Amino acid sequence: MAYETIEVRVEADKVGVITLNRPKQLNALNDQLMNELGAALKAFDADEKIGCVILTGSEKAFAAGADIGAMAKYSFADAYKGDYITRNWESIRSIRKPVIAAVSGFALGGGCELAMMCDFIIAADNARFGQPEAMDMALTGRMMDASEAERAGLVSRVVPYDKLMDEALGAAIVIAGFSQIAVMAAKESVNRAFEGTLSDGVMFERRLFHSLFA
């Protein structure tokens, strides 16, 4: 499939890499980009050879938020009938294989949320995170740098920018080297535990563990 707002490639024969590519808009997220991103993620999820996916942007911006210019034209009826956000932004939630966000530059608002919808984040030391739903950031409008984001648990690792893709690819190759079924089960059990009680989460994990003996 030909894409206009993302670039797609395969590394090491088993890692899918998706690069957001709207440089003039600092990778602001519009409907076309989110449609294409969902299609690319689903294609990698269905590809037997792919064990892990990396989602990244440019040095200057992972994604500088939702495309406000596009949103400005929407009425309530447009947003409601078109199921704005839910219809295509949440495609990533249905992906069963691990997705790593490799973030450099700005990850603001919806861009930060997109990174958080990935399974974990590896950040370059030039990354800047803005999350309007956090009270401190909502009231002050400030951004977190990569080291603060790591301390807050938003980011798993921080590396120099020139090592970002090497670090993300290294992690993805390790993940892709494991059993796909075991990896998907681990991801599913962790995500399930976030949304239920501790006892339910433990029981779900235990049953998946038992099933892996098959």
Side-chain angles (χ1 to χ4, degrees):
M1 179 174 175
Y3 299 111
E4 296 179 356
T5 62
I6 62 173
E7 296 176 348
V8 175
R9 69 182 190 275
V10 174
E11 294 281 354
D13 295 326
K14 55 188 175 182
V15 176
V17 180
I18 302 172
T19 303
L20 306 181
N21 186 34
R22 297 186 74 210
K24 291 181 180 177
Q25 297 83 12
L26 296 179
N27 292 334
L29 308 173
N30 65 359
D31 254 4
Q32 181 183 6
L33 186 151
M34 297 311 292
N35 286 338
E36 292 184 357
L37 175 59
L41 285 167
K42 289 175 181 177
F44 280 140
D45 210 32
D47 188 334
E48 283 290 329
K49 299 187 296 296
I50 299 299
C52 189
V53 179
I54 296 171
L55 178 60
T56 193
S58 67
E59 179 177 2
K60 195 171 184 179
F62 175 77
D67 190 329
I68 304 299
M71 291 168 61
K73 303 169 188 172
Y74 294 166
S75 66
F76 166 75
D78 294 331
Y80 183 73
K81 287 172 64 178
D83 204 17
Y84 182 56
I85 299 293
T86 307
R87 179 178 57 81
N88 49 11
W89 286 54
E90 296 189 7
S91 297
I92 192 170
R93 296 181 62 195
S94 68
I95 303 305
R96 300 177 68 196
K97 294 174 182 175
V99 182
I100 301 171
V103 176
S104 59
F106 297 115
L108 308 178
C112 186
E113 292 166 1
L114 177 59
M116 290 193 298
M117 284 192 282
C118 298
D119 295 304
F120 64 93
I121 301 171
I122 298 177
D125 51 11
N126 73 332
R128 296 292 181 271
F129 297 89
Q131 191 51 48
E133 289 77 5
M135 186 64 81
D136 176 4
M137 304 175 90
L139 299 182
T140 65
R142 73 180 185 86
M143 290 181 275
M144 283 193 289
D145 64 16
S147 60
E148 182 181 355
E150 184 179 34
R151 292 196 304 274
L154 176 63
V155 165
S156 295
R157 316 177 194 180
V158 177
V159 296
Y161 171 70
D162 61 357
K163 303 293 185 187
L164 176 63
M165 289 307 295
D166 289 341
E167 187 80 7
L169 186 58
I173 288 172
V174 168
I175 292 168
F178 296 136
S179 158
Q180 284 189 22
I181 292 176
V183 167
M184 289 190 291
K187 172 174 172 170
E188 186 178 9
S189 64
V190 172
N191 286 338
R192 176 74 171 262
F194 280 134
E195 298 181 2
T197 65
L198 176 60
S199 59
D200 286 344
V202 170
M203 181 55 70
F204 185 76
E205 180 273 338
R206 193 63 41 78
R207 290 293 178 252
L208 284 179
F209 170 65
H210 292 162
S211 73
L212 292 175
F213 279 82

